[in-house]
Amino acid sequence: MTTVLVVEDDPAISRPLTRALEREGHDVAAAATGTEALAVLDAPAHADVTLVILDLGLPDLDGLEVCRRIRAGGRDVPVLMLTARTDEADFVVGLDAGADDYVAKPFRMAELLARVRALLRRRLPSLLEVNGVRVDASARRVEVDGTEVVLANKEFELLRVMMSRAGQVVTREEILAEVWNDPALKASKTLDMHMSWLRRKLAAARRTPDAGNPISTVRGVGFRFDA
């Protein structure tokens, strides 16, 4: 179980975001101001906060100052910045202040959740092993039934996304947001091509040819890595 701190003063954003995060299985703490956010982070009851979603435009301390204070306090918790500003310089300033990623408003909920999963995945153990497939993220190495499989960069990231959510259906939009950082590619064949190449390599490395492919297609929705 992970705890996400949502720092957002607009209830029209914070409430649906909180519900979406809870549906994803996260505990959610909420703050409407920068001062409140820092108090939440300092409270012993919230020592386990694993990610902060931080609005840039808060009514007291702005998100940049909150982020700077989080980093000055020695916390390395991932920070995902929300901003209505679209100037590239503002994004750079946010990253320089210590943010790990940013999402521009208005945002699609699926994209934001994908960014959350991507940041949290960095905190996952570097080793994943499911259904005969072993991924060592630190060594960028993949084995299927003990046989090493060489994957291209996007194939590796695609496999890691699928395995980190083994047993769950991952939508096309979520995959595109996490692996390509571009949900707008939904209508293209990019995902299908890479998924086809990945599945072919996994199947070719199976010891038993009729063992089946661990990645299943869920028609009209996305894909599932069978656990």
Side-chain angles (χ1 to χ4, degrees):
M1 181 69 71
T2 56
T3 300
V4 178
L5 172 59
V6 175
V7 189
E8 169 60 65
D9 63 315
D10 185 351
I13 295 175
S14 62
R15 288 173 184 167
L17 178 53
T18 295
R19 289 194 295 268
L21 289 165
E22 289 174 341
R23 284 196 299 270
E24 292 266 308
H26 305 293
D27 283 337
V28 180
T33 68
T35 303
E36 185 180 351
L38 293 171
V40 169
L41 286 169
D42 286 338
H46 293 101
D48 61 343
V49 169
T50 45
L51 184 138
V52 178
I53 298 177
L54 178 61
D55 184 29
L56 183 62
L58 295 170
D60 56 349
L61 302 173
D62 68 16
L64 293 175
E65 180 60 24
V66 174
C67 191
R68 290 190 186 102
R69 294 192 187 187
I70 291 174
R71 297 300 181 230
R75 283 182 171 270
D76 63 350
V77 60
V79 175
L80 176 61
M81 193 84 75
L82 302 181
T83 175
R85 306 173 189 172
T86 56
D87 191 292
E88 184 178 353
D90 292 313
F91 296 146
V92 172
V93 170
L95 295 174
D96 285 344
D100 295 273
D101 198 1
Y102 60 83
V103 173
K105 296 179 180 180
F107 55 82
R108 297 168 68 103
M109 189 64 73
E111 178 188 359
L112 188 142
L113 293 175
R115 299 290 187 90
V116 167
R117 285 192 294 272
L119 288 174
L120 290 175
R121 199 166 58 247
R122 298 178 190 175
R123 299 278 170 129
L124 290 175
S126 63
L127 188 65
L128 293 170
E129 191 163 2
V130 184
N131 199 355
V133 181
R134 188 174 188 270
V135 171
D136 185 343
S138 59
R140 302 288 289 186
R141 182 172 181 173
V142 175
E143 292 181 356
V144 178
D145 293 340
T147 300
E148 185 169 359
V149 178
V150 178
L151 299 181
N153 182 56
K154 289 300 184 185
E155 294 167 354
F156 183 90
E157 294 302 328
L158 182 54
L159 178 61
R160 196 172 181 212
V161 166
M162 297 304 302
M163 288 183 64
S164 69
R165 299 180 64 190
Q168 303 176 33
V169 177
V170 189
T171 68
R172 298 175 63 88
E173 189 173 44
E174 289 168 343
I175 294 171
L176 289 167
E178 287 194 53
V179 178
W180 280 272
N181 196 21
D182 189 358
L185 288 172
K186 188 175 181 179
S188 78
K189 295 296 183 182
T190 299
L191 172 55
D192 299 282
M193 288 189 299
H194 282 81
M195 186 63 78
S196 176
W197 296 333
L198 174 60
R199 296 184 68 188
R200 199 175 306 153
K201 290 180 180 180
L202 296 180
R206 282 294 200 192
R207 286 180 182 171
T208 308
D210 60 355
N213 201 291
I215 301 178
S216 301
T217 301
V218 181
R219 292 193 178 279
V221 183
F223 303 90
R224 180 183 61 248
F225 192 97
D226 296 320

